[in-house]
Amino acid sequence: MTGTDERPLLTIDGLTKWYGRQLGCRDVDFDLYEGEVMAVVGESGSGKSTLLQLLSGQMEPSSGCVVYRQRDGSIADVWQMSEPMRRFLFRTDWGYVHQDAQLGLRMGISAGGNVGERLMAVGWRNYAAIRDSAKSWLDRVEIDSNRIDDTPRTYSGGMRQRLQIARNLVTAPRLIFMDEPTGGLDVSVQARLLDLLRRLVADLNIAAVVVTHDLAVARLLSNRIIVMKAGEIIETGLTDQVLDDPSEPYTQLLVSSILPV
Amino acid sequence: MTAPVYNFAYLDEQTKRMIRRAILKAIAIPGYQVPFASREMPMPYGWGTGGVQVTASIIGPDDILKVIDQGSDDTTNAVSIRKFFSRTAGVRTTTATREATVIQTRHRIPETPLTEDQVLVYQVPIPEPLRFLEPRETETRRMHALSEYGLMHVKLYEDIARHGHIATTYAYPVKVAQRYVMDPSPIPKFDNPKLTDCPALQLFGAGREKRIYAIPPYTPVVSLDFDDHPFEPYRHDAQCELCGAADSYLDEVITDDNGSRMFVCSDTDYCETRRATGKGAQQSAPATEHRS
Amino acid sequence: MLSLEVAGVAKTFTMHLQGGLRLPVLQNLEFAVAPGQCVALSGPSGVGKSSVLKLIFGNYRCDEGTILVRDGDTMVDVARAAPRQILSLRRRCLGYVTQFLRAVPRVSALDIVADALSDLPRETSRARAAAMLSRFNIPERLWNLPPATFSGGEQQRINIARGFLPEKPVLLLDEPTASLDAKNREVVIEVVREHKRRGAAIVAIVHDDLVREAIADASLDITRFAAAA
């Protein structure tokens, strides 16, 4: 236990977003600790995507705060930071995996360039080192390093998603946000991706917030879960607790709607 | 029959003032792209309307103007811009680099070293070096503002990955005064070393894109590169077949349908001056044979 | 000194999808387990034996009462602990042995078992996982394959091996021997005795009388705590 910081990595307090008179989400509170994976579930329109955007610093909340413990141990409200700081955080200490890989990748740039971009952004200026790092990351996400100079256009859906993950993890972030990471993939491809994510998150001790409508994904990846409905958290707890012993009517409905495997 | 009466150098004084203000701002923030209200000019975009407006705003009656297009004084573009200013401003024109006080250029920097008494005006088609990688103007402006230039190296990375070396040979990106990344306009990267620490003021005008930027005299300008793939100016491994110069940027000229070719200086003034002072190529016979 | 202390525990399920139907399961549940002791839960099926284990493990929420689990010098109340504390407790102090495999795609049998010792270096955890798999008579040729395609019995033994591998202070056994052959049942008895000797407190659901007699020090009839519906 020596040397580890017991304070939360991310503290969310009263996070609320209004789109005019339309509610995005309201009064969201939770703490996320190092290495924890939090799933946010709910149907479309429940506010889970709004929440992810607020958490990841992409959209400013109407009220409430997102407080992050930085590598040096200092605590900062993401929306009180200067924009350069926030953007720096976003491309070094944080990652974001989009459901649509086209949003998370540069489709006209080779896989190596996609993975290397974050390194170059933090000042890496040695081509060979950047390329070696890109190769080892492609290897970790099970992409043949012979494909390093191909653009993601030539990749399958599952490969694109894995490339996106490599692109995010190359700077060893401590926190990663994922928006339906397995959405739109074939079942077999999903299984492979989930397994990979599960392993990487555990090996690298990364904290993650995963938005998904798929409770099976939540069960496999997450330790904790938030159930959202109409913009509010209606139930939260350990993932297996919420899924095995759901207390809210809506959660019971969600759980009972899973197709038996 | 009265010839139309133009204001001095075509543009009205208000417009020139507006452009000068943009130029001053550009000089104050080296490498930063200053937006300006680009005017319609009596020539199509792509013919140097940005450069012409900058020239029109800084030229005075005593100035001597030289205009080059890819190093040459005698192409249609160069000739017509020269004529434009001698007609509308009545200024003297020249082809001699040493004589000129204002040099408007498309895609080259003269070989003859410039002096503190000269201004070099570049015509710029696309001022934004990041556009190839990030098409959103809002985003590229923010990247400049925050010095987020990692993306520029992604472009160079792609070059090396594809070609084994940095294959960008013109419009090679530079960093000006350790701050802004700038597109030096489509000059060959051979000319990049001339950008830095240059005694002359360098102004860049993009008419269609409505941007002006500048490199003040004696400003450090660094070509971007990797530690293990350093910047290298490229030059054909040959001598000019007309003047024998081994240090100038060469054009490759195809001389017949059989693939015969020759290398000649791209800077016509430089080449002619050398020949006039007796520095012509020793074996000029084979070269001239292909010409005629 | 006790390893596990359960007091005044009540659990009711509310089935909102059936018009808010309330299903009381347990009330005033009370028992304690000392280190090295094994308590077997008894009672007819459906009386709530599995619910007891799930309450202790934190899978089910506890409506009333306290569930204290020893963590070194302190007792952690699972009924009130934050999710993070429960996760940490499970990682270090609470083991759950069940036959039911939560299949993880594409992970080999050896790694599924070795993952239970994720705090140890890979080499060590694999070596110990291998030893445990051999004890449960899983042929070596299967170790590097994902168990999704194995026979039911093999999957069951892999899960049990995984559950018994880490040496945690409190172990919950949910029918570890059901449908095992005699040979493997003997292995379970042996392994449970080893855990008891090193001081584990064990709560077990065991239907097999022979096994129960071989491992249990006390029997607790859950019928006594069954809530009146």
Side-chain angles (χ1 to χ4, degrees):
Chain A
M1 282 289 146
T2 48
T4 57
D5 196 328
E6 289 294 303
R7 293 172 298 163
L9 196 60
L10 195 67
T11 302
I12 306 303
D13 187 13
L15 211 58
T16 300
K17 178 70 184 177
W18 290 94
Y19 301 100
R21 297 176 61 184
Q22 178 78 30
L23 179 67
C25 66
R26 173 154 58 191
D27 290 336
V28 173
D29 299 312
F30 66 87
D31 287 336
L32 187 71
Y33 291 84
E34 253 161 58
E36 266 186 346
V37 180
M38 169 86 86
V40 181
V41 303
E43 56 198 16
S44 337
S46 59
K48 57 189 197 299
S49 298
T50 297
L51 178 60
L52 197 67
Q53 284 189 289
L54 296 178
L55 295 181
S56 59
Q58 296 185 79
M59 190 163 64
E60 192 162 1
S62 307
S63 61
C65 49
V66 178
V67 176
Y68 180 66
R69 174 162 57 81
Q70 304 183 79
R71 269 177 212 259
D72 63 5
S74 67
I75 306 274
D77 183 334
V78 170
W79 287 104
Q80 301 295 316
M81 280 180 200
S82 66
E83 193 184 5
M85 273 299 300
R86 190 161 54 239
R87 285 171 67 106
F88 183 74
L89 195 67
F90 200 84
R91 49 167 209 267
T92 52
D93 228 13
W94 290 10
Y96 194 104
V97 176
H98 293 263
Q99 172 174 12
D100 180 358
Q102 296 203 33
L103 292 176
L105 294 172
R106 295 192 188 277
M107 298 303 283
I109 299 289
S110 70
N114 265 291
V115 177
E117 181 178 341
R118 273 177 164 237
L119 297 176
M120 293 182 245
V122 295
W124 285 40
R125 292 292 179 266
N126 187 297
Y127 174 83
I130 293 165
R131 199 167 169 82
D132 285 350
S133 181
K135 261 192 188 142
S136 92
W137 270 101
L138 289 182
D139 190 48
R140 285 187 85 158
V141 299
E142 302 168 18
I143 293 174
D144 185 345
S145 57
N146 288 331
R147 303 288 308 269
I148 189 170
D149 293 329
D150 297 344
T151 68
R153 280 190 227 289
T154 66
Y155 280 20
S156 69
M159 284 171 77
R160 286 180 186 182
Q161 217 53 328
R162 280 180 274 134
L163 179 61
Q164 216 195 151
I165 290 160
R167 173 177 159 85
N168 273 286
L169 296 188
V170 67
T171 50
R174 296 194 300 158
L175 175 60
I176 185 161
F177 300 96
M178 299 187 231
D179 184 9
E180 303 276 8
T182 58
L185 298 177
D186 290 346
V187 178
S188 62
V189 179
Q190 272 191 27
R192 181 175 183 187
L193 187 69
L194 282 173
D195 172 43
L196 183 78
L197 276 174
R198 200 183 56 89
R199 230 165 352 100
L200 287 174
V201 166
D203 289 354
L204 305 168
N205 196 37
I206 301 173
V209 179
V210 186
V211 159
T212 179
H213 66 274
D214 188 339
L215 296 185
V217 170
R219 199 188 270 278
L220 203 59
L221 281 185
S222 71
N223 318 110
R224 290 168 57 198
I225 198 166
I226 280 177
V227 183
M228 292 197 71
K229 190 190 175 200
E232 296 183 57
I233 294 183
I234 57 161
E235 188 162 359
T236 175
L238 286 173
T239 301
D240 52 22
Q241 191 179 70
V242 171
L243 297 182
D244 292 346
D245 182 14
S247 61
E248 291 297 315
Y250 178 72
T251 316
Q252 292 189 356
L253 181 68
L254 273 185
V255 171
S256 67
S257 311
I258 305 175
L259 293 173
V261 182
Chain B
M1 294 286 277
T2 29
V5 179
Y6 293 109
N7 189 37
F8 180 77
Y10 185 76
L11 291 175
D12 64 272
E13 293 305 311
Q14 286 300 334
T15 299
K16 285 197 250 176
R17 251 174 240 147
M18 174 271 292
I19 293 173
R20 283 176 204 142
R21 278 196 295 271
I23 292 171
L24 284 174
K25 187 169 177 183
I27 294 169
I29 317 171
Y32 171 69
Q33 299 166 46
V34 181
F36 79 109
S38 179
R39 296 291 193 250
E40 292 290 329
M41 297 302 286
M43 60 190 72
Y45 288 129
W47 283 67
T49 54
V52 167
Q53 289 180 79
V54 170
T55 300
S57 304
I58 60 165
I59 203 163
D62 300 334
D63 274 314
I64 303 168
L65 178 70
K66 169 183 165 81
V67 182
I68 49 172
D69 177 0
Q70 309 217 23
S72 165
D73 290 275
D74 51 15
T75 61
T76 317
N77 198 338
V79 170
S80 56
I81 291 173
R82 218 158 44 224
K83 269 192 188 159
F84 175 79
F85 280 109
S86 55
R87 167 99 58 94
T88 60
V91 293
R92 281 173 58 203
T93 60
T94 183
T95 59
T97 303
R98 270 180 230 288
E99 246 178 54
T101 55
V102 176
I103 302 168
Q104 182 170 331
T105 176
R106 175 173 175 270
H107 302 187
R108 270 315 306 279
I109 297 176
E111 306 290 358
T112 309
L114 302 176
T115 67
E116 288 181 1
D117 300 325
Q118 296 176 312
V119 180
L120 186 58
V121 178
Y122 296 77
Q123 301 170 198
V124 180
I126 298 169
E128 180 49 73
L130 298 164
R131 184 165 305 160
F132 164 76
L133 301 141
E134 176 53 69
R136 290 170 296 180
E137 178 85 17
T138 48
E139 189 62 17
T140 54
R141 283 208 210 183
R142 186 168 275 126
M143 290 159 78
H144 282 296
L146 304 176
S147 291
E148 290 180 3
Y149 290 130
L151 205 50
M152 219 52 250
H153 275 87
V154 173
K155 182 173 185 250
L156 301 179
Y157 171 94
E158 288 295 284
D159 261 7
I160 304 173
R162 254 174 228 161
H163 308 287
H165 59 272
I166 299 178
T168 301
T169 52
Y170 60 91
Y172 191 102
V174 294
K175 196 169 214 178
V176 182
Q178 294 102 40
R179 176 59 183 83
Y180 284 95
V181 165
M182 190 193 89
D183 183 334
S185 88
I187 58 172
K189 68 176 172 183
F190 173 83
D191 282 342
N192 272 29
K194 297 178 194 161
L195 294 163
T196 190
D197 208 30
C198 174
L201 170 64
Q202 301 175 76
L203 300 174
F204 298 78
R208 179 174 34 207
E209 304 247 351
K210 304 179 174 57
R211 293 287 184 277
I212 287 171
Y213 50 101
I215 303 174
Y218 301 111
T219 301
V221 177
V222 176
S223 303
L224 302 181
D225 61 4
F226 287 102
D227 299 345
D228 49 346
H229 286 265
F231 170 81
E232 275 170 14
Y234 177 80
R235 186 177 177 278
H236 288 292
D237 186 19
Q239 291 188 348
C240 171
E241 291 191 33
L242 300 180
C243 74
D247 57 354
S248 65
Y249 187 69
L250 299 175
D251 282 340
E252 185 179 3
V253 181
I254 306 293
T255 50
D256 60 28
D257 289 347
N258 302 322
S260 307
R261 58 191 186 148
M262 61 187 279
F263 289 105
V264 295
C265 288
S266 132
D267 185 334
T268 51
D269 170 60
Y270 182 72
C271 195
E272 278 159 20
T273 308
R274 279 176 56 87
R275 276 182 286 162
T277 52
K279 288 188 183 128
Q282 276 74 29
Q283 319 129 316
S284 60
T288 41
E289 201 173 82
H290 293 292
R291 293 181 94 203
S292 81
Chain C
M1 194 185 80
L2 295 169
S3 295
L4 175 69
E5 257 186 288
V6 177
V9 165
K11 176 67 188 169
T12 298
F13 290 102
T14 306
M15 319 298 275
H16 291 285
L17 302 181
Q18 291 165 43
L21 177 69
R22 287 172 56 81
L23 286 178
V25 184
L26 295 165
Q27 64 184 18
N28 212 16
L29 175 68
E30 198 129 4
F31 69 99
V33 190
Q37 192 190 15
C38 175
V39 173
L41 306 182
S42 63
S45 85
V47 78
K49 300 188 294 293
S50 281
S51 296
V52 173
L53 297 191
K54 286 182 173 165
L55 282 163
I56 298 169
F57 198 62
N59 256 18
Y60 283 176
R61 293 182 174 95
C62 178
D63 299 336
E64 279 173 44
T66 54
I67 301 168
L68 302 178
V69 176
R70 175 162 303 280
D71 180 3
D73 294 333
T74 58
M75 298 296 272
V76 176
D77 185 359
V78 174
R80 256 154 221 89
R84 202 166 85 89
Q85 286 175 290
I86 298 182
L87 286 174
S88 148
L89 202 64
R90 284 181 187 173
R91 204 160 37 240
R92 294 173 302 109
C93 310
L94 254 182
Y96 197 100
V97 184
T98 165
Q99 334 167 346
F100 300 106
L101 184 65
R102 179 141 293 149
V104 180
R106 303 199 319 141
V107 181
S108 74
L110 187 64
D111 282 338
I112 283 183
V113 177
D115 275 349
L117 295 176
S118 56
D119 292 346
L120 297 180
R122 205 80 187 134
E123 305 273 293
T124 320
S125 63
R126 280 199 166 162
R128 289 179 51 188
M132 194 58 102
L133 283 171
S134 332
R135 276 187 91 171
F136 281 101
N137 304 300
I138 303 290
E140 198 169 341
R141 63 186 162 79
L142 295 181
W143 292 1
N144 287 314
L145 300 175
T149 53
F150 294 3
S151 77
E154 284 156 354
Q155 290 194 16
Q156 186 184 342
R157 267 141 54 211
I158 284 164
N159 244 1
I160 292 170
R162 174 188 162 92
F164 278 125
L165 188 57
E167 300 189 338
K168 294 181 179 172
V170 177
L171 278 184
L172 310 173
L173 313 183
D174 192 353
E175 303 195 36
T177 55
S179 68
L180 285 189
D181 57 22
K183 191 168 67 173
N184 285 301
R185 216 161 37 222
E186 278 308 313
V187 179
V188 170
I189 292 170
E190 237 174 72
V191 172
V192 170
R193 283 181 172 156
E194 287 167 21
H195 277 290
K196 283 173 67 178
R197 270 199 296 279
R198 67 164 178 86
I202 298 176
V203 182
I205 301 174
V206 192
H207 284 142
D208 187 318
D209 293 336
L210 278 174
V211 178
R212 186 164 53 239
E213 265 161 44
I215 63 172
D217 305 297
S219 183
L220 182 73
D221 186 357
I222 295 299
T223 326
R224 283 165 50 202
F225 310 105

